[in-house]
Amino acid sequence: MASGRIFNFSAGPSMLPVEILEQAQADIINWDGTGMSVMEMSHRSKPFESIHKKCIQDLRDLLNIPPNFKVLLMQGGGSTQFACVPLNLLKDKETANYLTTGAWSTKAIEEARKYCRAHEVATSKSTNFTTIPDPSTWNVDPNGAYFHYCANETIHGVEFTLTQEMLDRIGEVPIVADMSSNFLSKPIDFSKHAVVYAGAQKNAGPAGVTFVIAREDMLGHAKNITPTMLDWKIQADNDSMYNTPPCYAIYICGLYFDYMKRHGGIEAVQELDRQKAAILYDLFDSSNGFYTNPVNPQYRSKMNVPFLIKGGNVDLEKKFLAEAEAVGLSTLAGHRSVGGLRASIYNGMPLEGVRRLADFMTEFKTKHEAE
Ligand code: PMP
């Protein structure tokens, strides 16, 4: 680890590999002999065009995105896509299906209610969002314009992929996924999805870019009231340059994609994420209840790992946070809406960081177990 760096377990923006930061540092004043920083370039210039093109191509390569899907680089984060999805996909329909599995899918359905009758297919609210509702209870409206779900609930630490049983429940309705917090952590099955979207600031780069990967037949249906900037077809027709894009953020995402390609691609990322998550969940499960994770083990997130100390001892949590911060293990508080603790272990978190956290947790337990 570079000197003075900490291990930052933030839920996003999050750590970036030092190699990327060093590359950005080397390029900052004069990118590739152009005599200017990427921050200073016209977005219509040849050098930026090459950065933009390579960024999208590398993302396509990493995720093996089929040719009939468009990759859009948008702004406004996942939150703006909560509005884009109904605006672009409702067509003449009045209903859309939403699965509610935590705070973010709740926000998505709330936003959709501004535009349509958002039909809640099922919710795990009664479990405090610690599981995925049993697919046999999913009540999908086959006339709904689409089915929306959140693949990884960042606050509640619940993650899942669509099973055959779930697909059977959804039927022919186009599937839309919010992958904001597990994008680029594993392959995506595009044969099951019509649209996938994700902000960059967890696994793909800095805040400011939102990736929308949309099947071509999902474009061109935006309602008349759709703001021009939020119309996916207009973005696609203009190569995501209808207006000035977040050039510097796109450049850093491009460095990240290039880095991932050089480090074994998405399979290597997935394996590393599996190892990192296993270290923490194994530690909880062998801690005799000192550390607990409330999530149904089947749906434990590999990205966001919430946990409690002694079932929610607030004094011990405070001590934990202070002692962790003092040894360079930072931003481990749970989201303010749920409390407790949370370690977000996105792609930029090295294995060494998770090992250090696990060692710290073992020591902390020994020290405070008797309290
Ligand atoms: N969806 C999920 C799953 C998220 O984690 C977040 C952000 N934490 C959002 C949507 C909203 O993203 P943004 O802050 O980029 O608008």
Side-chain angles (χ1 to χ4, degrees):
M1 199 65 177
S3 95
R5 295 270 298 168
I6 57 164
F7 292 106
N8 170 17
F9 292 88
S10 160
S14 54
M15 287 183 79
L16 290 164
V18 172
E19 199 182 310
I20 293 174
L21 299 175
E22 284 173 346
Q23 183 65 51
Q25 185 176 42
D27 290 347
I28 198 151
I29 289 179
N30 183 354
W31 183 83
D32 200 28
T34 55
M36 54 184 160
S37 172
V38 178
M39 275 182 257
E40 303 167 302
M41 282 175 191
S42 160
H43 59 294
R44 310 273 177 213
S45 65
K46 283 262 171 305
F48 185 72
E49 201 180 293
S50 71
I51 290 170
H52 190 256
K53 254 197 177 148
K54 179 168 158 51
C55 172
I56 293 175
Q57 190 54 51
D58 283 347
L59 179 62
R60 282 193 168 275
D61 295 348
L62 277 169
L63 287 175
N64 208 3
I65 300 174
N68 63 329
F69 279 74
K70 294 276 187 206
V71 175
L72 312 179
L73 309 188
M74 294 183 65
Q75 301 193 52
S79 304
T80 300
Q81 293 307 315
F82 294 163
C84 288
V85 169
L87 283 167
N88 283 276
L89 293 183
L90 277 170
K91 301 186 197 170
D92 53 353
K93 301 208 170 184
E94 278 164 19
T95 306
N97 294 287
Y98 279 79
L99 180 70
T100 313
T101 54
W104 290 107
S105 49
T106 301
K107 287 209 164 166
I109 192 172
E110 281 168 359
E111 187 73 10
R113 286 198 178 111
K114 294 184 177 178
Y115 305 103
C116 65
R117 199 177 73 77
H119 167 67
E120 192 169 62
V121 166
T123 175
S124 49
K125 191 168 185 195
S126 64
T127 70
N128 290 326
F129 297 124
T130 53
T131 192
I132 298 300
D134 185 333
S136 68
T137 68
W138 294 13
N139 170 23
V140 176
D141 180 346
N143 291 315
Y146 56 87
F147 169 89
H148 179 278
Y149 77 99
C150 177
N152 183 65
E153 288 283 359
T154 320
I155 294 175
H156 292 89
V158 181
E159 182 174 20
F160 75 109
T161 46
L162 296 170
T163 62
Q164 192 52 51
E165 189 187 1
M166 295 173 181
L167 291 168
D168 291 343
R169 299 300 298 189
I170 299 165
E172 297 302 310
V173 180
I175 299 175
V176 180
D178 174 3
M179 294 197 181
S180 290
S181 53
N182 66 355
F183 188 59
L184 280 169
S185 69
K186 56 187 173 187
I188 298 172
D189 187 344
F190 287 100
S191 70
K192 294 179 182 156
H193 294 90
V195 180
V196 166
Y197 63 89
Q201 68 269 27
K202 326 287 194 184
N203 275 335
V209 190
T210 313
F211 298 96
V212 178
I213 306 174
R215 212 171 58 211
E216 276 165 356
D217 61 323
M218 297 294 118
L219 307 178
H221 312 292
K223 283 190 175 302
N224 288 340
I225 58 158
T226 307
T228 307
M229 282 294 295
L230 304 192
D231 183 329
W232 292 336
K233 173 88 164 79
I234 290 177
Q235 291 292 353
D237 288 349
N238 288 278
D239 289 330
S240 305
M241 293 241 214
Y242 181 82
N243 76 334
T244 318
C247 303
Y248 196 75
I250 290 170
Y251 152 74
I252 301 286
C253 290
L255 291 183
Y256 212 156
F257 300 158
D258 187 67
Y259 169 94
M260 283 187 210
K261 281 178 79 173
R262 284 186 285 107
H263 286 79
I266 204 76
E267 285 74 22
V269 169
Q270 186 176 22
E271 173 53 23
L272 194 59
D273 288 343
R274 192 195 60 73
Q275 287 178 25
K276 289 189 295 186
I279 291 174
L280 295 182
Y281 290 117
D282 288 351
L283 187 143
F284 301 161
D285 294 345
S286 59
S287 74
N288 294 323
F290 187 80
Y291 297 113
T292 49
N293 165 269
V295 176
N296 177 348
Q298 205 183 332
Y299 300 120
R300 285 171 161 179
S301 169
K302 291 191 173 60
M303 299 280 106
N304 310 97
V305 182
F307 59 99
L308 298 173
I309 303 177
K310 288 191 173 177
N313 182 319
V314 177
D315 289 340
L316 279 179
E317 282 171 8
K318 278 190 192 142
K319 280 186 195 163
F320 183 96
L321 290 171
E323 290 181 26
E325 195 74 46
V327 294
L329 303 168
S330 179
T331 329
L332 283 156
H335 189 269
R336 58 192 183 281
S337 63
V338 292
L341 300 157
R342 172 177 55 168
S344 294
I345 47 175
Y346 297 121
N347 294 348
M349 171 60 64
L351 190 56
E352 185 199 347
V354 179
R355 286 202 179 119
R356 288 258 208 106
L357 174 62
D359 289 346
F360 168 80
M361 289 175 76
T362 304
E363 277 169 36
F364 187 87
K365 173 173 175 275
T366 310
K367 217 158 96 183
H368 297 284
E369 206 159 18
E371 283 174 28

